[in-house]
Amino acid sequence: MKILVLASGGDAPGMNRFMWEIYRKFKDNVYFAFAGFTGLVNGQIFPLSEVIDSSKKNSAGVVTKASRCPEFKQAKYFNMGLEYAKKFDAVIILGGNGSEKGAKRLFENGVNTIFVPGTIDNDVEDCHYSIGFSTAVKEAVYSVENTMPSIDAFLNACLFEVMGREDDSICKEVAKQVDADYQVVDEKTLDYEKMKNVILKKYIASSSAKIIVRENIANITEIASKLNEMLGMNIVKTQIVGRTQRGGSPTKQELSMATKFAKETIRCIKTKVFGVRVLADENLNIIVTEFK
Ligand code: F6P
C-alpha cells in the first residue's frame, strides 16, 4: 500500500506529530508531496522517512513544508496533480477550508482522499478543533500576558491583533482566556465609541484596557490613531501577535489531538474508508463524515 500525505495551505503546530504517527504506522509506505499541492503538481514526491523522525514529533512548523497553491484551482495544474495523486492508494490532505475543497475535488476525480483539519484558524465547517488552534491561542495569550504589565505601568491601553484570517475563533478564545475588556471580531464590533468608553473607564480607574482585534478587519495602527484622536491622549498602543501563533511549541492538547486525528486516519486507511473528513465534534471526539 502506498500512502501520500501533504500539508496544504499554511503550517500549523501539531502537524509534525500527525506526520510522525502516520509514519510510525506505515513506515516506508508513506510519501509526502513537498510544500503541499505545489509539490503534487510538480511531482516533487519523496519518502516521508527523509524528513521525519521521533525528534521532530513535538516541534512546530511542518517537516514536509507547506505553501499556498492557488494554481491548483486551475484545471491545468489540478490535472497535473491528479496524475500523481492517482498513483497512491490513499492520499491524506492536512489543511483548512480551502484545502478541503482541493481534497474533495481529487476524490471526485477518483483519488482515495482523506481530509484532516490542520490550520490555526479553526475554520473548517462542522469541526470544533483543527490541529494548531490551541497552540495559536496559547501564544496569543502569552503575548497579552507579557505585554500588559508594561502597558499598565504607563496607564496605557493596548489593541492586540490576532490571526484567524476570516474566522473569529482565535479572537474569541483569546479574549475569553485573558478576560479582555472588548473584542473586535468583525466590522460590526469595530465600534469606536464603545472602544473609547471602555478605554476611558479603565483609565479613570487607574487601570488599562486590553482589546483583542481579529486580523483583516482594519489596520490596527489606524484604529489606534483614531482612538487616540477621539480620546485626546496618546495612550492606545498596538501589538501584532502575528506568526508566533504558528511558530509556538505545540501544547499538550495539540499533541494529543494530532495523535487522535492520526489514529482515526489510520483506521480509515486500514478499513478503506475514503472520500471523508476526519473532524472533531463539540466534545472534541473524533468523527468521520463524507465530503459536503
Ligand atoms: O491560515 C493560517 C494563517 O496563519 C492565517 O491566520 C493568516 O491570515 C495567514 O495564515 C497568514 O499567512 P502568512 O504567514 O503566509 O502571511
Side-chain angles (χ1 to χ4, degrees):
M1 170 171 277
K2 273 177 82 181
I3 298 161
L4 182 72
V5 64
L6 63 87
S8 165
D11 57 297
M15 280 184 168
N16 284 341
R17 171 58 72 94
F18 180 90
M19 300 284 177
W20 167 248
E21 295 297 338
I22 299 295
Y23 173 71
R24 213 153 67 98
K25 188 72 200 170
F26 297 109
K27 298 276 166 37
D28 291 343
N29 295 314
V30 193
Y31 294 76
F32 74 97
F34 181 81
F37 287 135
T38 305
L40 186 66
V41 167
N42 297 322
Q44 294 168 289
I45 294 170
F46 310 100
L48 190 59
S49 59
E50 286 184 5
V51 290
I52 195 83
D53 60 55
S54 73
S55 70
K56 314 264 175 59
K57 69 181 182 198
N58 294 341
S59 60
V62 63
V63 290
T64 59
K65 310 297 180 201
S67 70
R68 322 279 179 202
C69 183
E71 303 80 31
F72 197 64
K73 289 185 197 139
Q74 296 173 33
K76 177 183 163 194
Y77 297 104
F78 175 81
N79 288 332
M80 285 164 72
L82 180 62
E83 285 317 303
Y84 288 108
K86 275 185 172 166
K87 296 186 174 143
F88 290 87
D89 302 298
V91 175
I92 307 166
I93 293 164
L94 273 173
N97 58 7
S99 314
E100 186 185 339
K101 293 191 184 102
K104 183 181 174 198
R105 197 165 159 209
L106 283 171
F107 174 66
E108 287 166 349
N109 284 275
V111 177
N112 287 336
T113 55
I114 299 176
F115 171 76
V116 178
T119 165
I120 63 166
D121 301 339
N122 208 17
D123 63 355
V124 174
E125 220 184 318
D126 306 323
C127 183
H128 293 261
Y129 191 90
S130 62
I131 296 173
F133 180 64
S134 101
T135 309
V137 169
K138 178 244 319 177
E139 290 300 325
V141 169
Y142 275 179
S143 177
V144 175
E145 285 173 349
N146 293 336
T147 304
M148 280 314 288
S150 178
I151 294 293
D152 195 46
F154 285 87
L155 286 185
N156 286 332
C158 194
L159 308 179
F160 293 90
E161 182 185 284
V162 296
M163 280 189 163
R165 202 183 289 272
E166 307 298 326
D167 194 282
D168 59 16
S169 303
I170 294 178
C171 185
K172 283 183 170 166
E173 186 58 27
V174 172
K176 191 170 115 193
Q177 290 194 21
V178 302
D179 193 17
D181 299 288
Y182 191 75
Q183 48 182 299
V184 180
V185 290
D186 52 20
E187 280 75 16
K188 209 171 142 220
T189 46
L190 181 61
D191 185 325
Y192 286 94
E193 206 49 44
K194 273 194 185 149
M195 282 193 272
K196 186 194 96 178
N197 290 338
V198 160
I199 293 166
L200 210 50
K201 201 171 155 201
K202 283 275 181 170
Y203 183 78
I204 290 164
S206 290
S207 184
S208 311
K210 44 183 184 282
I211 296 178
I212 315 300
V213 183
R214 199 206 82 201
E215 67 170 348
N216 296 331
I217 294 175
N219 180 297
I220 197 161
T221 314
E222 286 169 16
I223 303 178
S225 299
K226 191 163 170 184
L227 287 169
N228 280 325
E229 209 174 286
M230 288 167 80
L231 288 156
M233 296 184 279
N234 189 20
I235 60 167
V236 183
K237 307 292 174 187
T238 59
Q239 181 84 2
I240 297 178
V241 182
R243 291 181 189 81
T244 59
Q245 288 179 260
R246 291 214 308 269
S249 301
T251 60
K252 278 197 180 128
Q253 182 183 24
E254 207 71 80
L255 297 172
S256 150
M257 288 302 292
T259 303
K260 284 186 191 168
F261 278 117
K263 290 210 161 123
E264 191 59 33
T265 304
I266 290 166
R267 203 184 61 79
C268 288
I269 293 173
K270 284 178 126 182
T271 53
K272 298 195 178 358
V273 173
F274 298 115
V276 289
R277 314 183 295 158
V278 178
L279 308 177
D281 71 9
E282 57 272 26
N283 300 314
L284 302 194
N285 292 318
I286 307 295
I287 51 168
V288 176
T289 71
E290 287 179 357
F291 283 116
K292 276 196 156 172

